[in-house]
Amino acid sequence: MTKQGGSSNPRQRKPVLIIPGFMSSALTIEKSSIDPTWEGKRLWLNLFSLGFHSLQIGGVLRKNEDQIRKMEEANKMIDSKVGRNNGTLGASVKSSRDLHLEYLKQVECKSKWVEHIRLQPDMIHENEGVVVRPIPGTAGVDYLTPGALTENMSYVFGPVLKLLQSVGYKNGIDLDAAPYDWRIPPSELQSRDQYFTNTMKTIEQLYYQSNDTPVVILCHSMGCKTAHYLFNFVLKQLGAISGQSWLNKHIDAYVPVGAPHVGAPKTIRAMIVGDKMGLDAFLEDVEGLVLGRSLGSVPWLFPLNAVQGKKALSVSIPQDTIAPQVEVENFDIPPAPSCPIVVTRHESSLNISLPSQLFRLDKFVQRRKTLPTKLRLAIVIGKNLTMRTSYYPVTNGRNKLSATINFGDEMIVIACPPKAEDTLQLYPSIQVRIEEPGRGAPAHRKKGIFDFDLFWPIRCMFCLLRWIFCLPCTILFGFGGVMADVFKKGSSEGAALLGSTIVIGESDIIDWRKRWSGYKKSKQIKLMEEGGGQWLDLEVAIEPKVVFRYGFFMQKPSPQILALKFQWKPSPTARSGTHSTLSLRNQTAKGIKYHDSEVNYLLAAEGLSHVQKILSETYGRDPIGPRSLSSFCPPPIKKVISIFGVNLPTEVGAIYQRTPSVHRSIQNALKRPPALYKVDEDAILDRNVPKRHQLSNGLILETKNTPQSIYGSNISVMKSGDGTVPYQSLQQCRMWQGKGVAKCDVTVHEIDGAEHRAILNDARFHKILLIILGFE
């Protein structure tokens, strides 16, 4: 044994290979068609070099934008544009404008950063023209943002590397790391980067450079699952006997730290509501949603019981991965969690669909001096809810009267009470409006003296007398009218920039209960409840706000018809009547019920078919079994030393409710995906129920007072996980004792109060690690 800080013989030191966890490998941009000047820069994580380090919420740039928005709401910006402030804003406006320009510049940089780091909808491939790869060696796992001011906040294995170097370890000799692209599934790591093949070579190199000393595989978080996959990859690559011989020769011990062996429930929440990856101060909610739903590695961390039943978890092990002299065992399937992972409110939804259709605008642009460039629909549901579609460009034909707009497929989804009758009472009516950007009323051409109507002779005589006797006044008023038009145009353009709109057409308020295929109210409710999911048609007659009558009798033009579809969709448990196994109530509203749900239901409701596909195909068909053989089954390693923190509040589930209203557009489905569900922060536990778990802002937490069974024994204790991974997942390795092809010898070290990431900088963990490596 050698003492810490003393010299030691390389022969006595066990070489160490570090495999980092999720978001713990530094990534660099090797190629970029988005911005070639970013090539060679660190993508994860160096906000300073990429230029949006000042966008934090509450920072100077954000405060300036809030101030500008308040000024605009008071029309001060519009007034200054048309000269009504006479330049009195002075230097403060200039300073504000400079900050605004810097804000826009940094927002653009942030958008480019998101485009570089997110993956395509298949959750596997990078965006076209982008190549992002991990920084190799220990430089890729020490600190995410190197620097004296940032090391304490962004450390990964930096403190561990300093510790090992202090006792004589040397980078590239007996100490190395295997960073990887943590965004993609393990099978893609091998097929794209040859990661596991290269890691085997690194292990061999450490082994030979350390005088044939077996290597300690030190891994953290998702890196533990990556190492587990590596061990079974060796058996697959070299064959059962040769592979096991290679592992016995080159691997001294497998040391998982904070390992999510059977997953972590918080990854489901990241997929449903988004994951800002720790950058909450910089990223918007929609950007977190884009990232959370694009990373193909996230489903790897889904809790096994959440998306797979016991049948799906049963392991069918290929014979060439197991040594023939070892009988295939019935591996223990992880027990079901003690509380539901997903709980949802008992509520229905009202879906309003705008089918693709061509809408004529001749009645709405008649006598307009200029055509609007774009229009959108505002759909008013009930009294207080207004939903707006995307803007659509106006297509001008041979003349204004042939102008049209081609509406695309869009849908509005509204959360409703569980009963159809309550839904009809809450949202009894619908009204549709057509809006264009701007303020006031659109400018129209004045009616000419020869426009045929009943009074045209009188108009002709009046105009002649006006030009004879009132020419000076006419000129004066004409000049005033021109100035008014200029002001009006400037004001309207400014309002358009602020998001103000002009309503140029609207329908009557329609009580749609009277329009549903002629059904009476009682029959409508029966139709909705028994045929939930059936789409019904609704034709809406829209009239222009400014009506120009025509013909000898001044006829009113007929309204333009817009086709809509709507659907009432009941709760999936409306007929079954199931309730949550947790006794829950809502602290803000009475009568709200909850029921246990399934992850697959949430994924389907959110339209995340690509997530279900990657689970069934990329993960399900992988012969190395990233969610089975290389997850809860014993690894083919003789010595396993597991280290993890305990007794911190840890998420084991979440309560979800529908987002009150969601606008779904095919145009923005990929760049701005809507979230149909959000965490229900108003749910609380019933006071009369024993508190085995806590509920905080809609998250179900296990605590140090949560009963837990110690695997492999009859002992029951009060414990919880490390703040990220539940205790059940951390201790799965206990079930490997004496099992598997290598008959694992499992040792477990629990560190009270050690948080998932902070454990890497915990002196108690460092002490255990030095003992494992042969130091006192």
Side-chain angles (χ1 to χ4, degrees):
M1 299 277 183
T2 59
K3 295 182 180 181
Q4 182 175 346
S7 61
S8 58
N9 191 315
R11 179 181 292 276
Q12 295 178 315
R13 288 199 301 267
K14 298 177 181 179
V16 177
L17 178 70
I18 293 172
I19 301 180
F22 183 61
M23 299 191 299
S24 297
S25 296
L27 302 177
T28 186
I29 302 171
E30 294 187 356
K31 180 182 176 183
S32 173
S33 60
I34 299 174
D35 189 343
T37 63
W38 282 24
E39 292 179 4
K41 289 187 176 182
R42 192 172 181 136
L43 178 68
W44 183 262
L45 178 66
N46 195 340
L47 305 185
F48 292 90
S49 67
L50 297 179
F52 65 97
H53 53 282
S54 300
L55 277 182
Q56 69 270 21
I57 295 172
V60 175
L61 297 183
R62 297 273 188 150
K63 287 181 179 178
N64 181 68
E65 291 304 303
D66 292 340
Q67 185 64 28
I68 290 176
R69 194 173 294 110
K70 291 177 182 178
M71 292 172 64
E72 289 172 341
E73 290 174 355
N75 289 330
K76 292 182 180 179
M77 297 298 289
I78 295 176
D79 292 341
S80 65
K81 180 173 181 179
V82 296
R84 297 178 69 181
N85 277 340
N86 298 319
T88 55
L89 294 178
S92 62
V93 171
K94 183 177 180 181
S95 174
S96 177
R97 187 180 297 113
D98 291 341
L99 288 172
H100 176 63
L101 293 175
E102 178 62 24
Y103 171 81
L104 294 178
K105 180 182 177 182
Q106 294 205 19
V107 166
E108 182 183 3
C109 289
K110 183 180 67 169
S111 298
K112 289 192 290 186
W113 180 85
V114 171
E115 289 302 302
H116 279 89
I117 202 165
R118 77 175 181 90
L119 301 177
Q120 292 187 28
D122 63 2
M123 307 180 75
I124 292 175
H125 297 99
E126 296 173 290
N127 285 320
E128 192 70 28
V130 173
V131 177
V132 173
R133 295 294 181 267
I135 295 175
T138 55
V141 302
D142 52 2
Y143 302 94
L144 294 180
T145 307
L149 298 177
T150 56
E151 284 187 355
N152 288 335
M153 297 182 293
S154 68
Y155 69 84
V156 185
F157 274 93
V160 174
L161 291 171
K162 286 183 178 180
L163 172 73
L164 297 181
Q165 289 165 358
S166 71
V167 295
Y169 278 88
K170 295 181 180 179
N171 287 339
I173 303 299
D174 51 6
L175 175 63
D176 211 336
Y180 56 96
D181 188 345
W182 39 264
R183 302 173 299 165
I184 60 178
S187 57
E188 296 299 321
L189 284 176
Q190 176 59 23
S191 61
R192 191 193 75 178
D193 300 340
Q194 298 294 300
Y195 173 77
F196 295 104
T197 301
N198 293 331
T199 303
M200 288 176 64
K201 295 177 181 178
T202 302
I203 293 172
E204 290 174 344
Q205 185 176 7
L206 288 173
Y207 175 84
Y208 291 120
Q209 289 176 169
S210 302
N211 299 320
D212 297 347
T213 305
V215 180
V216 172
I217 307 298
L218 176 63
C219 40
H220 177 249
S221 192
M222 193 174 78
C224 305
K225 298 177 75 69
T226 305
H228 200 156
Y229 189 96
L230 167 68
F231 302 145
N232 286 314
F233 172 83
V234 172
L235 298 183
K236 183 73 175 176
Q237 188 79 354
L238 303 181
I241 297 176
S242 299
Q244 191 62 55
S245 176
W246 188 96
L247 291 170
N248 293 341
K249 175 181 178 181
H250 293 93
I251 306 299
D252 176 76
Y254 165 42
V255 183
V257 181
H261 295 297
V262 293
K266 68 183 304 180
T267 56
I268 296 173
R269 180 167 54 87
M271 187 64 67
I272 299 300
V273 303
D275 185 1
K276 296 183 182 179
M277 303 164 69
L279 302 177
D280 299 64
F282 297 92
L283 299 182
E284 305 294 337
D285 290 344
V286 68
E287 292 166 331
L289 199 59
V290 168
L291 291 177
R293 294 183 175 185
S294 76
L295 305 183
S297 58
V298 173
W300 193 9
L301 298 171
F302 281 3
L304 296 186
N305 284 288
V307 292
Q308 297 165 251
K310 288 201 170 185
K311 274 190 176 179
L313 283 176
S314 61
V315 184
S316 176
I317 303 175
Q319 288 300 310
D320 60 349
T321 65
I322 299 295
Q325 68 270 24
V326 179
E327 184 179 352
V328 178
E329 302 180 56
N330 292 319
F331 295 120
D332 292 319
I333 297 171
S338 57
C339 74
I341 294 174
V342 173
V343 178
T344 56
R345 271 194 192 185
H346 191 189
E347 53 191 347
S348 64
S349 65
L350 183 64
N351 304 332
I352 302 173
S353 172
L354 172 65
S356 180
Q357 58 192 289
L358 191 67
F359 189 83
R360 294 184 58 187
L361 297 173
D362 54 314
K363 301 178 181 65
F364 304 91
V365 298
Q366 187 181 11
R367 297 185 181 277
R368 288 283 294 265
K369 288 184 177 180
T370 57
L371 277 176
T373 58
K374 58 183 181 179
L375 298 172
R376 71 181 179 188
L377 294 179
I379 303 176
V380 184
I381 304 110
K383 294 182 179 179
N384 302 317
L385 180 61
T386 301
M387 298 294 293
R388 291 177 169 86
T389 67
S390 308
Y391 274 110
Y392 290 89
V394 173
T395 303
N396 189 12
R398 292 170 297 179
N399 52 57
K400 294 178 183 177
L401 296 182
S402 61
T404 58
I405 189 167
N406 192 7
F407 289 116
D409 289 323
E410 298 196 34
M411 182 184 293
I412 293 169
V413 182
I414 305 166
C416 298
K419 293 183 179 180
E421 186 173 4
D422 295 335
T423 299
L424 290 176
Q425 185 175 355
L426 183 62
Y427 299 114
S429 63
I430 182 172
Q431 183 184 33
V432 180
R433 299 169 181 165
I434 301 178
E435 298 178 341
E436 70 168 297
R439 69 184 301 196
H444 291 86
R445 177 176 58 84
K446 292 182 179 179
K447 199 167 185 178
I449 62 172
F450 293 107
D451 286 325
F452 185 76
D453 61 47
L454 189 62
F455 303 101
W456 76 266
I458 300 174
R459 296 178 188 278
C460 181
M461 183 179 297
F462 175 78
C463 289
L464 181 62
L465 291 173
R466 188 182 69 172
W467 279 101
I468 293 174
F469 296 107
C470 304
L471 182 60
C473 295
T474 301
I475 295 174
L476 181 62
F477 281 110
F479 178 74
V482 170
M483 295 302 295
D485 285 344
V486 170
F487 169 74
K488 184 177 179 182
K489 182 178 180 182
S491 177
S492 182
E493 289 177 354
L497 292 175
L498 301 183
S500 300
T501 57
I502 305 169
V503 176
I504 66 171
E506 65 182 7
S507 71
D508 292 333
I509 297 176
I510 303 169
D511 186 342
W512 52 15
R513 296 173 295 184
K514 300 177 182 178
R515 301 288 294 272
W516 290 358
S517 306
Y519 281 89
K520 294 181 180 179
K521 181 178 178 181
S522 60
K523 290 188 176 181
Q524 291 167 14
I525 295 172
K526 185 177 180 181
L527 173 68
M528 292 170 66
E529 292 182 340
E530 293 183 357
Q534 178 182 351
W535 285 96
L536 302 173
D537 296 320
L538 179 67
E539 291 186 344
V540 181
I542 303 178
E543 297 181 345
K545 286 283 287 184
V546 180
V547 178
F548 291 95
R549 298 176 181 269
Y550 65 95
F552 186 82
F553 295 103
M554 304 296 289
Q555 295 100 322
K556 185 178 179 181
S558 60
Q560 186 69 29
I561 301 300
L562 178 75
L564 294 176
K565 290 178 176 290
F566 62 91
Q567 171 197 50
W568 181 78
K569 199 170 184 179
S571 171
T573 57
R575 279 174 249 175
S576 64
T578 60
H579 299 283
S580 174
T581 52
L582 292 174
S583 294
L584 300 171
R585 61 186 178 89
N586 192 281
Q587 60 183 341
T588 60
K590 295 182 179 179
I592 293 179
K593 297 180 179 180
Y594 296 89
H595 59 262
D596 297 347
S597 191
E598 298 177 356
V599 176
N600 282 328
Y601 165 73
L602 284 185
L603 295 177
E606 291 284 358
L608 299 177
S609 57
H610 62 293
V611 179
Q612 295 173 307
K613 181 178 180 181
I614 200 172
L615 277 168
S616 61
E617 295 184 5
T618 305
Y619 286 100
R621 297 177 184 176
D622 188 338
I624 302 177
R627 290 182 54 80
S628 54
L629 178 64
S630 300
S631 176
F632 64 87
C633 296
I637 300 297
K638 292 182 178 180
K639 187 190 301 183
V640 177
I641 306 173
S642 179
I643 309 171
F644 52 84
V646 294
N647 291 337
L648 290 176
T650 303
E651 181 178 343
V652 293
I655 318 294
Y656 297 91
Q657 69 174 99
R658 283 188 173 273
T659 305
S661 57
V662 172
H663 171 219
R664 284 188 153 184
S665 170
I666 293 180
Q667 300 176 19
N668 298 324
L670 296 180
K671 291 189 176 180
R672 300 183 67 84
L676 282 180
Y677 283 86
K678 67 175 187 176
V679 175
D680 186 352
E681 298 182 357
D682 294 328
I684 57 175
L685 290 169
D686 195 301
R687 298 174 184 173
N688 301 322
V689 176
K691 298 294 188 296
R692 296 186 175 185
H693 296 86
Q694 283 186 357
L695 206 56
S696 175
N697 296 323
L699 305 182
I700 308 170
L701 306 175
E702 64 179 13
T703 69
K704 60 182 180 181
N705 297 318
T706 300
Q708 307 277 2
S709 296
I710 299 298
Y711 292 166
S713 73
N714 296 322
I715 301 174
S716 181
V717 295
M718 300 288 190
K719 283 188 179 179
S720 60
D722 64 1
T724 297
V725 183
Y727 188 77
Q728 181 191 42
S729 186
L730 291 167
Q731 69 154 338
Q732 172 65 23
C733 57
R734 284 194 169 108
M735 302 186 76
W736 302 343
Q737 177 63 40
K739 298 180 180 179
V741 295
K743 302 298 182 184
C744 294
D745 179 18
V746 180
T747 303
V748 174
H749 296 275
E750 297 182 357
I751 302 177
D752 189 73
E755 192 270 336
H756 184 70
R757 183 181 78 100
I759 193 174
L760 297 176
N761 195 27
D762 193 304
R764 294 169 294 176
F765 164 66
H766 292 172
K767 182 178 180 181
I768 295 171
L769 178 60
L770 289 176
I771 293 174
I772 292 171
L773 297 177
F775 295 86
E776 291 182 343

